Amino acid sequence: MNWKLWIPLGIFAFFLGLFGYQLTQPKDEFIPSTMIGKPLPQFDLPPAMEGVEGARFADFADGKPKLLNIWASWCLPCIAEAPHLESLKEQGAQIIGVAIRDKPEDVEEFLGRHGNPYSQIGMDDLSAIQIEIGSSGVPETFVIDGKGVIRYQHIGDVRERDVPILLAELDKAGR
């Protein structure tokens, strides 16, 4: 047999083995944020709907740690996280929301259907704040200390298993 025929087969077997090895390795879902330890940008967002206050930097620099939740009424994972945000609120967490590229009537309908865990909700029509704080999408939740500094970032929807973690991070941010 000609040895030149074995070269492509050997290369194929090598890549097949490499691919198989990668599939057996644990998946690392942690994405380190470059914003941890940095202050929120200065912002002043208008209310997302009538009857609520908007959101601004000063709300996060009052000495009390808070959660900043980036969300949208058109976001399906935001529906899934709604009961867990409510649980955080019931356990004493203050949550300020930022609605991304939304309409006041859609925000109101979403909150009427799924509950309102927010003390304030700002409207970010251009995703400017979302981009400035390094948010990669919706939903995303940040722990902000009482000086307005980002201390923790939770990417994706908040699930039941995340509630104690966020409460612990809030507690750490309050020290």
Side-chain angles (χ1 to χ4, degrees), residues 93-166:
Q94 184 177 350
I95 307 169
I96 296 178
V98 173
I100 302 296
R101 298 183 310 275
D102 232 321
K103 298 177 188 168
E105 58 272 13
D106 294 338
V107 168
E108 192 169 350
E109 181 183 337
F110 180 95
L111 297 175
R113 184 174 293 161
H114 305 291
N116 183 1
Y118 305 107
S119 59
Q120 298 163 240
I121 309 170
M123 179 67 74
D124 189 359
D125 288 331
L126 303 174
S127 300
I129 300 306
Q130 180 185 23
I131 292 167
E132 283 189 62
I133 64 173
S135 171
S136 59
V138 290
E140 203 158 329
T141 304
F142 296 84
V143 174
I144 313 298
D145 71 13
K147 296 177 184 171
V149 177
I150 299 170
R151 295 296 172 193
Y152 182 80
Q153 180 179 13
H154 176 83
I155 298 172
D157 57 313
V158 173
R159 304 211 176 173
E160 185 176 353
R161 68 177 181 261
D162 303 316
V163 170
I165 295 167
L166 287 167

Side-chain angles (χ1 to χ4, degrees), residues 33-53:
S33 173
T34 59
M35 295 301 292
I36 303 296
K38 294 183 181 174
L40 285 172
Q42 293 289 327
F43 66 93
D44 188 355
L45 298 174
M49 62 182 212
E50 285 188 39
V52 299
E53 285 184 55

Side-chain angles (χ1 to χ4, degrees), residues 55-111:
R56 56 194 179 281
F57 173 80
D59 300 324
F60 294 95
D62 65 357
K64 299 174 189 161
K66 295 175 184 65
L67 294 177
L68 172 61
N69 181 250
I70 309 292
W71 69 285
S73 66
W74 44 264
C75 159
L76 292 178
C78 295
I79 296 170
E81 82 171 354
H84 308 299
L85 292 178
E86 193 65 40
S87 174
L88 283 162
K89 177 185 171 185
E90 289 169 2
Q91 295 181 59
Q94 184 177 350
I95 307 169
I96 296 178
V98 173
I100 302 296
R101 298 183 310 275
D102 232 321
K103 298 177 188 168
E105 58 272 13
D106 294 338
V107 168
E108 192 169 350
E109 181 183 337
F110 180 95
L111 297 175

